[in-house]
Amino acid sequence: MAVSTVRRRRLGEELRRLREQRKIAADTAAEAAGMSLAKLNRIENARTAAKIEDVHKLLNHYGCDDEEFRAGLIAITKDGSKRGWWLSYRDVIDAYATDLITLETEASAFKTYEPAFIPGLFQTAEYARLVIDRLRTMKGGTVDDLVQVRMARQSILTRPNPVEVWAVIHEAAIHANANRPDIMGPQLDKLLTLSRLANVNLQIMPAGAAIHPGMSGAFTLLGFPQRKDLDVVFIEGLLNAFWVEDPADVELYRARFQEITAEALPVDSSLAFITAQREQIQ
């Protein structure tokens, strides 16, 4: 199943923007790069993965001499050609999940606000099983399959070059499932364990906090090492999800996340809060 990933779309948009900025016709660019017009159209419309040599040829023809910009596009071209572990689950996960997992593995920073659940990267298998079973809408795959995918995603937290995670979780998510100590006990233990990682910052949003931007709903901002303007925001709903890709809009979410962290409990107080809740569970 070919999936038009967010990175592929961004690459296509950048190449088209450069071409149009130089007022170069598509057929002229295709001929200069030694490819068919149909292939260039597929690359620009994110219908196929681009080859590194093709991107180099196009950038040369467009007279792009910004080395940092070129390096960024080549990096995401390389990433787009990788075959990740998640491809073995392509019949289980949808396009949104595939895009998210692909970008998670490339990201260097991960900022998320979650008002209702423990974030997926922090979930235990049993907690994940409960959430997935209650909320999933896809017909393909089993709950166990989806739990396996979620657990595999968490490897980005402990890989040699781990992603930097900053998560703000609403107090309600900590109190939820209070009647299931068998699930919430281990889940809170896992939160406390992950909070000790150098690459993890965890804050709790208290129920009595002032009105803040997180009240609009959950979101995740993924940051990338190549260039800041490649950062994206992921927003997920019950039946669908969407990506915020415009750099100005992403900056708005970045600023709003800072406001959210300012309203949340400090890291030390948040860990004390989680510890206190854990101690109440028998």
Side-chain angles (χ1 to χ4, degrees):
M1 175 179 67
V3 178
S4 175
T5 67
V6 175
R7 308 310 265 160
R8 193 182 295 175
R9 289 199 299 270
R10 188 58 185 273
L11 175 64
E13 289 170 0
E14 293 282 11
L15 292 174
R16 183 190 297 108
R17 182 186 62 78
L18 280 175
R19 179 176 61 76
E20 293 177 345
Q21 191 177 64
R22 269 66 169 182
K23 301 186 185 312
I24 300 174
D27 56 350
T28 301
E31 182 178 358
M35 66 177 71
S36 67
L37 176 59
K39 181 177 180 179
L40 177 61
N41 285 334
R42 289 197 300 273
I43 291 173
E44 289 188 348
N45 293 310
R47 297 186 183 282
T48 189
K51 295 181 179 179
I52 295 174
E53 61 181 299
D54 290 336
V55 174
H56 274 304
K57 289 177 181 178
L58 289 170
L59 292 176
N60 288 339
H61 185 62
Y62 299 155
C64 178
D65 55 6
D66 184 329
E67 291 303 321
E68 183 179 356
F69 179 83
R70 290 181 69 111
L73 291 189
I74 295 303
I76 63 176
T77 303
K78 290 179 180 178
D79 290 332
S81 64
K82 291 178 180 177
R83 292 185 61 81
W85 58 264
W86 55 90
L87 290 180
S88 61
Y89 291 95
R90 59 184 177 273
D91 295 329
V92 176
I93 57 178
D94 59 19
Y96 295 116
T98 301
D99 280 353
L100 176 61
I101 296 170
T102 302
L103 293 182
E104 280 180 346
T105 62
E106 302 168 15
S108 58
F110 191 100
K111 298 179 179 180
T112 186
Y113 175 70
E114 179 53 71
F117 307 104
I118 305 301
L121 289 180
F122 296 163
Q123 293 177 5
T124 64
E126 288 307 312
Y127 182 96
R129 182 171 287 105
L130 177 63
V131 172
I132 292 169
D133 185 51
R134 295 290 180 84
L135 299 183
R136 76 179 186 131
T137 55
M138 284 187 62
K139 295 181 180 179
T142 66
V143 171
D144 284 342
D145 289 333
L146 296 173
V147 170
Q148 289 177 25
V149 171
R150 188 159 299 182
M151 295 302 99
R153 285 173 51 202
Q154 297 177 5
S155 64
I156 66 173
L157 297 175
T158 54
R159 67 192 182 191
N161 185 26
V163 64
E164 297 284 337
V165 178
W166 193 341
V168 181
I169 307 171
H170 195 278
E171 176 183 341
I174 304 299
H175 290 307
N177 298 306
N179 63 335
R180 293 295 307 271
D182 57 318
I183 291 179
M184 289 309 296
Q187 178 59 76
L188 296 184
D189 285 338
K190 183 165 185 174
L191 282 183
L192 293 170
T193 297
L194 291 175
S195 70
R196 300 187 184 100
L197 297 177
N199 56 305
V200 175
N201 279 312
L202 178 60
Q203 290 182 266
I204 298 299
M205 180 64 74
I211 293 176
H212 58 85
M215 291 178 174
S216 295
F219 67 89
T220 297
L221 192 157
L222 291 94
F224 300 90
Q226 296 96 354
R227 300 201 327 269
K228 190 175 180 180
D229 65 351
L230 291 177
D231 295 356
V232 293
V233 173
F234 181 65
I235 301 174
E236 185 176 18
L238 182 61
L239 294 176
N240 53 34
F242 69 92
W243 293 94
V244 177
E245 302 177 66
D246 182 87
D249 293 338
V250 173
E251 280 304 309
L252 176 62
Y253 273 93
R254 196 189 314 278
R256 294 297 182 264
F257 185 78
Q258 289 303 113
E259 294 178 30
I260 290 171
T261 62
E263 287 296 331
L265 297 176
V267 171
D268 289 345
S269 298
S270 296
L271 299 185
F273 179 89
I274 298 171
T275 300
Q277 296 304 309
R278 178 62 182 100
E279 291 174 351
Q280 292 180 22
I281 297 176
Q282 301 300 320

